[in-house]
C-alpha cells in the first residue's frame, strides 16, 4: 500500500514547487502541476487494473451479461477524465472552460448509458 | 514516468525565473519574454508525452 504514500509525497512536492515558480512564470507552474497529475494518475490507474480483473471474475461467475457492466466502467472512465481536465482548467483560472468540460463529460456518460436505459424501459414494458 | 521529470521542470522554472529577473532589472524586458517562451516550449516538450500516456492509459483501461 505504498502507492498512497508515493502519491502523497509527489503531490506535496509538486505543489510546493508550483508555488515557488508561480510568481514569475505561472504557465510553467501549471505545466508542472499537470505533470504531477499525470504521474499520480498513472499510478492510480495501474491500481484500478486489478480491480478491473475482479470485476471480470464477478461478471463471469454470476453470468451477468457484459452489456450491463461495460457502461458502468466506461462511465467511471469518462468521469475520471472529465474531472481531471475540468480541475486543471479551474486551476489555471478558466472556470467557464471547466464547466464546459464537465457538461461534455456528463453528456458522454449519458450517451454511453443509453443502451442500458433502453433495456430497462423494455423490461418495464414487459412487466406491465 | 519518474519523479525526476517533475524536479527537472522545477529546475527549468527556477532558472528561468532568475534569468527573467536579471534581464528585467537590466532593462531588456523583450529578451526576458523570449526566455520565458523558450522555457515554456522546452517544458511542454518534456511533459506532453507523459500527459498523452496518461489519457491513453485511461482510454485503454476503461475501454473508451
Amino acid at each position: 500500500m505504498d502507492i498512497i504514500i508515493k502519491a502523497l509525497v509527489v503531490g506535496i512536492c509538486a505543489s510546493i514547487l508550483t508555488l515557488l515558480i508561480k510568481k514569475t512564470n505561472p504557465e510553467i507552474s501549471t505545466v508542472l502541476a499537470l505533470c504531477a497529475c499525470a504521474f499520480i494518475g498513472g499510478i492510480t490507474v495501474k491500481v484500478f487494473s486489478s480491480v478491473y480483473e475482479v470485476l471480470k471474475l464477478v461478471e463471469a461467475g454470476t453470468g451477468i451479461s457484459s452489456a450491463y457492466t461495460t457502461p458502468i466502467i466506461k462511465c467511471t472512465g469518462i468521469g475520471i477524465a472529465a474531472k481531471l481536465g475540468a480541475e486543471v482548467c479551474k486551476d489555471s483560472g478558466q472556470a467557464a472552460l471547466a464547466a464546459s468540460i464537465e457538461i461534455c463529460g456528463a453528456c458522454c456518460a449519458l450517451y454511453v448509458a443509453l443502451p442500458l436505459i433502453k433495456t430497462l424501459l423494455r423490461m418495464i414494458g414487459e412487466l406491465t | 514516468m519518474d519523479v525526476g521529470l517533475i524536479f527537472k521542470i522545477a529546475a527549468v522554472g527556477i532558472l528561468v525565473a532568475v534569468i527573467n529577473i536579471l534581464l528585467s532589472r537590466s532593462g531588456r524586458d523583450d529578451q526576458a519574454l523570449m526566455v520565458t517562451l523558450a522555457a515554456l516550449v522546452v517544458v511542454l516538450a518534456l511533459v506532453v508525452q507523459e500527459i498523452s500516456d496518461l489519457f491513453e492509459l485511461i482510454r485503454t483501461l476503461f475501454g473508451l
Side-chain angles (χ1 to χ4, degrees):
Chain A
M1 230 21 235
D2 66 334
I3 283 178
I4 183 67
I5 308 290
K6 203 185 285 186
L8 206 61
V9 166
V10 166
I12 289 174
C13 285
S15 54
I16 289 171
L17 291 173
T18 310
L19 277 179
L20 192 65
I21 317 172
K22 207 165 189 64
K23 243 192 333 300
T24 47
N25 19 40
E27 66 279 355
I28 294 186
S29 69
T30 312
V31 174
L32 186 121
L34 199 56
C35 174
C37 260
F39 180 75
I40 295 177
I43 298 178
T44 26
V45 174
K46 283 198 191 75
V47 169
F48 186 78
S49 58
S50 43
V51 172
Y52 191 62
E53 277 137 22
V54 170
L55 206 62
K56 284 291 171 203
L57 282 180
V58 166
E59 189 182 301
T62 55
I64 306 170
S65 80
S66 74
Y68 297 120
T69 51
T70 37
I72 296 170
I73 293 172
K74 281 192 176 179
C75 277
T76 35
I78 289 172
I80 288 173
K83 182 74 176 166
L84 209 61
E87 291 304 330
V88 166
C89 289
K90 224 172 271 181
D91 273 355
S92 52
Q94 299 297 330
L97 262 178
S100 59
I101 288 180
E102 293 273 354
I103 292 167
C104 173
C107 291
C108 290
L110 199 60
Y111 176 75
V112 162
L114 277 188
L116 213 60
I117 296 169
K118 273 192 205 132
T119 45
L120 184 69
L121 290 180
R122 202 178 309 120
M123 258 191 261
I124 293 172
E126 279 148 18
L127 283 181
T128 54
Chain B
M1 184 61 215
D2 56 345
V3 195
L5 186 61
I6 294 178
F7 296 116
K8 223 178 281 181
I9 294 173
V12 167
I14 292 165
L15 197 65
V16 166
V18 170
I19 292 174
N20 269 358
I21 290 172
L22 285 179
L23 282 178
S24 60
R25 275 295 138 69
S26 60
R28 297 189 190 85
D29 284 342
D30 49 351
Q31 287 172 4
L33 183 62
M34 293 301 164
V35 167
T36 308
L37 288 181
L40 189 61
V41 166
V42 165
V43 164
L44 278 177
L46 286 173
V47 171
V48 79
Q49 186 55 39
E50 299 305 327
I51 294 162
S52 70
D53 288 352
L54 170 70
F55 284 114
E56 192 56 31
L57 195 63
I58 290 178
R59 201 176 65 80
T60 46
L61 192 67
F62 291 106
L64 293 177

